[in-house]
Amino acid sequence: MTRMVSKRLVLKSLAGTAAASLLAPLSWAQTFPAKLVSLVVPYPAGGGSDVVARGLTGQMTKALGQTVIVENQGGASGTIAAQKLLNAPADGHNVYVGSPNELILAPMAIAAAKFKSEDFRLVQKVGNFTLAALVPSALPVSNMDELIAYAARRAKEGKPLTYGSVGNGSIFHLLGEQLSKVTGVPMIHVPYRGGAPMTQDLVGGQIDLYLGAMGANSPGMVAAGKLKLLAIISPERLDTYRNVPSVRDSRSLQDFTYSLWVGLFVRKGTPEPVVHALHKATTSAMADPALAHVAEGAQIVLAQPQTLAQAEQVYTESVAQFRAIAKSIHLKAE
């Protein structure tokens, strides 16, 4: 008799657990969002990720029926904001607005970063940065082939070209190292703490080259003759740059094409109904024509909306690509 009662209790407990697990997704779907949603941007206000995040908030607020705000949490190449997200509950109320630069490269370059790329899940890719090759106006080159030939001559003279980046392990560092590797031309990396001082030195001729994202002020500097735009490196481009050569047009760098994108991420393990709700809200916000205009001002090409499966594939491929480059240039965490 006692065994039968015990068996009934076990079966009842198992049935209750199963019912709870079936109801949990429904519960999440019904209660999310229970409070305001923060889009955590890993840089101060004004950068590309920040502009995109602010362009999304209005339509996402309407779609979710809850206020969506932007929270700027700069520092340590985006790792402070990343750790903040990982320290918060995996409930979708904190969403990271970033790129492979922070979530793939930073953990490999910054010893203090205690997270892995796999700790995050891409909800939606929102836009692609315009990557380009920029040099001071006084540098005696007008295209990528002339740049490589000039860099080779300088290296033979013992005065290799210098290229700037926003820090060790950033994509801009990797692009410079990769350019040096594929051409066999030595160049010197000059890391900066941010884009503003680097651009100032590029304009002044203190460094010779920048391979990376066009900023909001870059077109004006090119138009004013302060900088020369040699080529577009990314496959995606704004209409503004239709007449600018692609790096594929050069004789020596036809395969030197790279992408840097910005997207919305959540902690891995966030409930599936929450991820779907955020994906649907982001996709809806991306349909707003105003966002395309805002993105263009930040030199970002708005992406085509993707399914969650496609987003997962994009992130997986980016992790593999950048880890391979980092390994090939022997990137070490500092």
Side-chain angles (χ1 to χ4, degrees):
M1 185 70 172
T2 304
R3 289 182 180 176
M4 291 181 64
V5 172
S6 177
K7 187 175 181 180
R8 285 197 202 99
L9 288 174
V10 170
L11 291 173
K12 186 176 182 181
S13 176
L14 290 173
T17 302
S21 65
L22 290 172
L23 290 173
L26 181 60
S27 175
W28 275 110
Q30 291 174 337
T31 61
F32 178 82
K35 56 184 178 179
L36 64 81
V37 175
S38 293
L39 301 184
V40 182
V41 176
Y43 299 105
S49 298
D50 178 74
V51 169
V52 166
R54 294 181 188 279
L56 290 170
T57 55
Q59 292 300 320
M60 285 187 70
T61 293
K62 291 180 182 179
L64 291 172
Q66 184 65 263
T67 302
V68 179
I69 65 167
V70 172
E71 180 181 350
N72 297 94
Q73 186 79 51
S77 299
T79 60
I80 292 177
Q83 197 59 58
K84 173 185 172 65
L85 194 77
L86 293 180
N87 291 340
D91 59 9
H93 289 98
N94 287 282
V95 181
Y96 192 95
V97 184
S99 73
N101 203 44
E102 301 87 40
L103 298 185
I104 301 175
L105 297 177
M108 293 188 287
I110 301 175
K114 303 302 181 185
F115 62 87
K116 306 185 298 296
S117 305
E118 288 81 4
D119 293 332
F120 297 87
R121 179 179 180 182
L122 178 62
V123 174
Q124 183 65 278
K125 175 181 169 181
V126 180
N128 300 284
F129 291 95
T130 302
L131 299 181
L134 290 164
V135 298
S137 57
L139 205 73
V141 300
S142 58
N143 57 53
M144 293 302 288
D145 289 321
E146 290 180 4
L147 173 70
I148 299 307
Y150 179 68
R153 289 198 301 272
R154 286 273 300 267
K156 288 181 179 178
E157 295 168 359
K159 296 180 281 188
L161 290 189
T162 56
Y163 69 92
S165 82
V166 294
N168 183 56
S170 66
I171 185 175
F172 315 133
H173 173 205
L174 265 67
L175 288 177
E177 289 293 320
Q178 189 73 349
L179 179 66
S180 179
K181 180 181 177 182
V182 299
T183 59
V185 178
M187 288 184 279
I188 296 174
H189 175 222
V190 182
Y192 288 82
R193 290 185 178 274
M198 183 199 63
T199 302
Q200 184 177 355
D201 278 4
L202 184 67
V203 170
Q206 280 75 40
I207 55 174
D208 302 305
L209 172 65
Y210 167 63
L211 299 171
M214 293 282 283
N217 297 327
S218 300
M221 291 182 179
V222 172
K226 295 180 179 180
L227 293 173
K228 281 194 281 190
L229 173 56
L230 300 186
I232 299 297
I233 296 173
S234 51
E236 307 85 3
R237 61 170 63 198
L238 295 166
D239 288 339
T240 311
Y241 303 111
R242 290 297 170 194
N243 295 325
V244 178
S246 165
V247 70
R248 291 171 174 166
D249 297 327
S250 65
R251 294 188 301 273
S252 54
L253 294 169
Q254 294 180 13
D255 296 327
F256 197 80
T257 303
Y258 296 92
S259 290
L260 180 64
W261 45 266
V262 60
L264 270 60
F265 296 82
V266 293
R267 270 185 60 182
K268 198 70 176 285
T270 299
E272 202 66 20
V274 174
V275 177
H276 277 272
L278 287 169
H279 178 265
K280 183 178 180 181
T282 308
T283 304
S284 174
M286 289 172 64
D288 183 4
L291 179 62
H293 178 72
V294 168
E296 183 177 351
Q299 306 302 298
I300 293 173
V301 182
L302 201 63
Q304 290 296 317
Q306 299 174 322
T307 65
L308 283 168
Q310 289 171 330
E312 182 177 5
Q313 182 178 355
V314 164
Y315 190 44
T316 300
E317 290 175 351
S318 292
V319 170
Q321 179 191 35
F322 287 116
R323 282 181 177 169
I325 296 174
K327 182 178 180 180
S328 72
I329 67 169
H330 308 292
L331 179 67
K332 301 294 184 184
E334 297 179 356

